[in-house]
Amino acid sequence: MYTSPSRLSEEARSNIAQALNARLADGLDLHGQIKVAHWNIKGPQFAALHPLFETFAVSLANFNDSIAERAVTLGARAYGTARHVASRSRLPEYPQDTTRDLEHVRLLAERIELYLEGVRDARSVAEKNADTDSVDLLTGIVTEFEKHAWFLRASLE
Ligand SMILES: [Fe+2]
């Protein structure tokens, strides 16, 4: 661990950074999967969903960056190469031959919900270690991605 401006103990910083790196792996994987859906989607809902998926990708890219930078601020490193992500992500691989609009919606809804479970777990780690600032960051992600999951689930009803 590097020195950090944080007042948390080294053990606390290390635990939180580990949880953040796990979420970074999921988030980078999810970002690639959302782009695959954005590129390959076809069907009557294309005009609405193609740009919607892009807004998800842009918001996730920003959150991934914030998570990585929080881990380094806490004195850890941020891990994010494609090979590292492939070995660590909890998300299942995306079926890249999918084209139908609503099938992409279902696949992304499932993956966003899985991503959210991990983010909530990481938030619990930050809460246990009294890291209000990481809790804040993670709560922002939960709020935003629960909204995205709602958009997708509403499209399926
Ligand atoms: Fe695009």
Side-chain angles (χ1 to χ4, degrees), residues 5-107:
S6 167
R7 292 182 164 179
L8 299 168
S9 70
E10 182 168 327
E11 192 192 354
R13 290 189 282 113
S14 162
N15 290 338
I16 299 157
Q18 216 172 356
L20 292 172
N21 266 297
R23 264 46 294 159
L24 180 60
D26 291 355
L28 290 168
D29 188 13
L30 181 58
H31 182 268
Q33 298 199 12
I34 291 170
K35 292 296 283 196
V36 164
H38 167 75
W39 294 323
N40 292 306
I41 186 167
K42 293 185 191 305
Q45 301 302 315
F46 174 88
L49 295 173
H50 173 72
L52 180 68
F53 293 170
E54 181 64 11
T55 65
F56 295 175
V58 169
S59 110
L60 185 54
N62 283 319
F63 284 135
N64 286 337
D65 194 55
S66 298
I67 284 191
E69 290 174 358
R70 181 69 190 154
V72 179
T73 300
L74 290 172
R77 290 167 203 236
Y79 299 97
T81 63
R83 284 160 196 77
H84 179 88
V85 166
S87 71
R88 299 299 168 90
S89 170
R90 302 187 338 162
L91 304 190
E93 175 60 308
Y94 201 81
Q96 296 195 88
D97 292 337
T98 307
T99 55
R100 293 304 302 174
D101 45 11
L102 293 184
E103 184 61 11
H104 281 297
V105 169
R106 186 183 63 78
L107 290 165

